[in-house]
Amino acid sequence: MLFGGIEAGGTKFVCAVGDEKKNAIKRTQIPTTIPEETLARVIRFFEGFELDAIGIGSFGPADVHPKSPTYGMLTTTPKTAWRNVPLMQRIHDRFRVPVGFQTDVNAAALGEAAFGAAQGLDSCLYITVGTGIGAGAVIHEKLLHGLSHPEMGHILVRRHPNDEYPGRCPYHQDCLEGLASGPAIEDRWGEKGVLLKEREEVWKLEGYYIAQALMQYILILSPQKVILGGGVMKQELIWVHIRQYLKELLNDYIDFPQLSSRMDDYIVPPQLGDDAGVKGALVLADQARQEAKGRGD
Ligand code: ADP
Ligand code: ZN
C-alpha cells in the first residue's frame, strides 16, 4: 500500500510518498509560487506511484467541511494567487483516489499523535505559535471537529497590567493571537522575535499569555500531552516562563505529576520537527482510504 502526503504551506509544499507504515520512501520540497506551477510540480512528484490515497494538510484559511460546496478549497487566504484554488479537487481529479483534507495545524497534530511526542497516548493537543496561533486536538487518532475546526488561538486572556500593546487581531484585537503571535511580538517590541533572544521580559510576557491559554485548554480538554511548535517556540527562555506561570495558575488544583514535578515531560516541543505536517498528511491519507472503504466507494 502507498500513501501520498502533502503539507501545503505558504512558503513551501512538502510532499512524501509513504509505505503502509507511513515511512517516507520519497520526499521533496517545492516552493509555493503560483498555483499552476506549484501544483504541476506536486503532481509530477507523485506520478509513477500507484497511490492508494492522498492526505493534504493545508495553509489557510481553507474549507475543511466535507459537506460544504467549497470543501478542499483555499478561501480567503492572504496569498491572493491561491484564493479559491480547489486544492483537494485538483489532486483528486488527477489521481482519482480518496483524498483527505485538513488544516496544516491539524495535520501536524495527527503526525505528532501517531509518530511523535504523543505516540502511544490516547490524546494530545498540538499548538503552533507562529504567524498565527492555532491548535489541533487528537483523541483516539481522530481530530476534534465540530461545527468547524477549533480556533483555539482566538481565546481571550487576561491582560498583563503593564502591557499597553493594543493587540493586532483584526477580529478581536487583544485575543491570544492578537497579543502573542510572532507578528505581535515584532509589533510590540519593534524587532523580530529571532533578534530578541536576550530580552527576558519579552519571553516572560509571552509565557504569561501562553500559560493562560494552556490552562484553559488543559482544563477543558485534559490532553495527555501538550505539544508546542511554531517559530516563536524556538526561543529557549519562553519554555521556562510558560511552565512556571502555568504551575502558578493551576495552583495544584489538578493533582497529577504532569502538572507539577513532571511538567517538562508534559509540555514539550514537537518530536518530528518540520516533518510533523507531512507525516500527519500520510495519516490523513490512510484515514481517507478507510472512510472511503467504509462507504463502499
Ligand atoms: P508560519 O506560522 O508562518 O507557518 P513560523 O511558525 O515559522 O511560520 O512562524 C513565523 C513567525 O514566528 C514570525 O512572526 C517570526 O518572526 C517568528 N519566528 C520565527 N522563528 C523565530 C525564532 N527563532 N524566534 C522567535 N520568533 C521566531
Ligand atoms: Zn482573534
Side-chain angles (χ1 to χ4, degrees):
M1 197 154 354
L2 285 180
F3 298 114
I6 304 171
E7 187 197 2
T11 51
K12 63 179 188 297
F13 276 48
V14 184
C15 302
V17 176
D19 64 13
E20 203 155 300
K21 292 193 168 139
K22 286 118 191 161
N23 290 316
I25 55 173
K26 193 178 173 200
R27 186 186 187 283
T28 194
Q29 288 192 13
I30 294 161
T32 308
T33 56
I34 52 167
E36 294 69 36
E37 184 178 35
T38 307
L39 292 180
R41 290 186 64 184
V42 169
I43 286 168
R44 219 174 306 136
F45 170 78
F46 288 114
E47 277 168 351
F49 290 98
E50 287 278 320
L51 298 177
D52 290 275
I54 300 172
I56 305 173
S58 175
F59 70 106
D63 187 341
V64 296
H65 310 293
K67 295 210 172 98
S68 155
T70 52
Y71 176 47
M73 249 165 114
L74 289 151
T75 54
T76 53
T77 172
K79 288 189 83 77
T80 49
W82 288 82
R83 262 186 209 168
N84 304 321
V85 168
L87 181 53
M88 188 185 84
Q89 199 61 45
R90 291 269 179 92
I91 298 295
H92 183 259
D93 286 350
R94 172 61 188 81
F95 295 99
R96 298 271 155 203
V97 292
V99 181
F101 187 79
Q102 270 296 344
T103 64
D104 45 4
V105 179
N106 270 346
L110 267 187
E112 284 293 327
F115 301 107
Q119 193 174 7
L121 301 177
D122 291 333
S123 62
C124 77
L125 181 68
Y126 175 90
I127 303 147
T128 176
V129 187
T131 305
I133 300 183
V138 181
I139 301 151
H140 294 293
E141 291 156 29
K142 291 274 176 207
L143 286 159
L144 179 68
H145 219 277
L147 198 56
S148 176
H149 54 89
E151 284 282 6
M152 296 189 223
H154 293 267
I155 62 167
L156 298 178
V157 285
R158 255 187 225 154
R159 220 166 221 295
H160 192 283
N162 300 334
D163 185 13
E164 283 168 11
Y165 177 65
R168 56 172 287 138
C169 174
Y171 293 91
H172 322 109
Q173 194 145 342
D174 62 356
C175 66
L176 176 69
E177 180 173 296
L179 291 172
S181 65
I185 295 174
E186 186 176 347
D187 228 16
R188 181 193 281 108
W189 302 96
E191 267 188 302
K192 280 195 182 302
V194 70
L195 300 172
L196 295 162
K197 192 167 186 288
E198 315 295 335
R199 298 269 300 273
E200 175 114 28
E201 69 273 32
V202 173
W203 309 114
K204 200 168 172 191
L205 186 63
E206 194 65 14
Y208 177 83
Y209 289 127
I210 294 174
Q212 290 186 57
L214 294 192
M215 172 166 177
Q216 295 172 59
Y217 305 152
I218 291 165
L219 292 177
I220 293 170
L221 296 169
S222 200
Q224 287 169 325
K225 192 76 91 177
V226 175
I227 305 157
L228 282 164
V232 172
M233 293 310 301
K234 300 222 163 98
Q235 291 295 324
E236 285 295 318
L237 280 176
I238 204 175
W239 291 88
V240 180
H241 292 296
I242 289 174
R243 292 182 182 124
Q244 200 171 322
Y245 275 125
L246 182 59
K247 260 183 221 165
E248 280 171 29
L249 284 169
L250 288 169
N251 198 24
D252 293 329
Y253 177 67
I254 307 173
D255 186 17
F256 270 78
Q258 285 90 332
L259 297 171
S260 51
S261 59
R262 285 184 29 218
M263 202 180 261
D264 288 5
D265 187 43
Y266 179 64
I267 295 175
V268 296
Q271 222 172 60
L272 302 176
D274 293 341
D275 267 354
V278 76
K279 275 281 205 188
L282 292 170
V283 177
L284 276 175
D286 196 5
Q287 292 185 351
R289 180 190 66 87
Q290 289 174 40
E291 276 161 27
K293 209 168 132 197
R295 286 193 306 267
D297 293 3

